[in-house]
Amino acid sequence: MIDSITLRRVLPRVFRGSEHEPPVSHSEVWLRDELTFTRPGNYIVEAESGTGKSSLCAFLYGSRTDYDGEILFDGTPVSRFSIDWWCELRRSALAYLPQDMRLFPELTVRENIDVKNRLTGFCTETHIKEMLSRLELADRLDDRAGLLSIGQQQRVAIVRALCQPFDFLLVDEPVSHLDARNNAAVASLIAEEASSRSAAIIATSVGNKLTLSDFTLIRL
């Protein structure tokens, strides 16, 4: 279980030498003495392209370590975590939807979701179908992911990300390919799923496109 994530003087190494220049000098994330995310809660990290929003998600998920500074989970530096510990966190406490979605195009919607759900056994088939129905994908279960539109793929990836227990849900531009109606449906679904687990959502967004309510806005 994770109750808090804290960043201390974190800076992507690619930004070294730019500490006093935009975007670093204006960031509410990079090089802050301390920034803490706690659960439950909704956080939107608003950013322009090239300011490090995908890097931030990858740092928090532990899939990249090319940064200066320190990230702590419940006060413990993540640099102390073993690979086995990271694997357990990703099964039980951290869910992540990367911007590139990472669906398997040759697999069906059902098979893509089952890849995650078989690892966790978290969602029943009924629950999965309910989530797909809410995102207007109930009739796409047996379609290959690679044949779906980008917006449909994004919604499939969102359902897959929700098929596990989590204390923090990291979503990198989750509605970048969605219209207003589907944006609202996605925001409602992830907010309800997070609330049911007393979890926190950390979402990156260009121009604050995600329609979450009661959120804390942080400018990257």
Side-chain angles (χ1 to χ4, degrees):
M1 180 179 292
I2 304 171
D3 290 318
S4 68
I5 297 176
T6 299
L7 284 70
R8 292 179 180 165
R9 304 291 298 174
V10 170
L11 180 71
R13 289 177 185 155
V14 71
F15 290 159
R16 279 179 179 173
S18 303
E19 291 86 348
H20 303 292
E21 302 173 4
V24 175
S25 61
H26 304 309
S27 176
E28 295 176 0
V29 176
W30 305 137
L31 289 179
R32 298 307 93 189
D33 289 338
E34 187 164 291
L35 170 65
T36 297
F37 302 95
T38 58
R39 72 177 186 99
N42 297 331
Y43 300 89
I44 295 180
V45 180
E46 184 181 77
E48 299 302 323
S49 296
T51 56
K53 57 186 179 299
S54 294
S55 297
L56 173 64
C57 290
F59 296 162
L60 298 179
Y61 196 62
S63 56
R64 285 177 52 186
T65 58
D66 53 321
Y67 60 88
D68 299 324
E70 193 172 45
I71 296 175
L72 306 94
F73 289 178
D74 293 337
T76 300
V78 300
S79 57
R80 299 180 188 175
F81 295 170
S82 66
I83 292 175
D84 287 345
W85 188 240
W86 273 115
C87 289
E88 178 56 32
L89 285 176
R90 292 167 188 160
R91 280 194 297 266
S92 63
L94 287 174
Y96 179 31
L97 173 63
Q99 188 176 358
D100 61 6
M101 297 179 282
R102 300 179 190 172
L103 294 177
F104 298 98
E106 71 279 8
L107 299 183
T108 66
V109 168
R110 185 194 307 273
E111 290 166 341
N112 267 281
I113 293 171
D114 282 349
V115 166
K116 166 66 74 67
N117 201 48
R118 280 200 303 268
L119 293 174
T120 65
F122 186 74
C123 287
T124 64
E125 184 175 354
T126 297
H127 188 190
I128 290 170
K129 288 180 177 179
E130 287 174 351
M131 289 191 289
L132 289 170
S133 180
R134 287 182 61 173
L135 300 187
E136 301 181 7
L137 292 167
D139 60 344
R140 298 290 189 169
L141 262 175
D142 297 313
D143 291 352
R144 287 172 50 197
L147 299 179
L148 303 180
S149 71
I150 296 299
Q152 290 169 332
Q153 290 180 34
Q154 195 163 44
R155 282 175 278 156
V156 171
I158 287 163
V159 171
R160 185 179 65 177
L162 295 172
C163 287
Q164 68 166 90
F166 59 81
D167 299 319
F168 283 84
L169 173 64
L170 312 173
V171 285
D172 189 10
E173 289 197 61
V175 296
S176 57
H177 300 288
L178 303 183
D179 59 20
R181 179 170 54 83
N182 282 308
N183 178 332
V186 164
S188 175
L189 178 62
I190 65 174
E192 287 179 25
E193 290 293 320
S195 177
S196 72
R197 309 169 203 196
S198 297
I201 300 167
I202 302 176
T204 68
S205 180
V206 176
N208 189 19
K209 293 179 180 178
L210 185 63
T211 55
L212 287 175
S213 60
D214 300 322
F215 63 86
T216 299
L217 180 65
I218 300 170
R219 291 181 171 86
L220 188 59

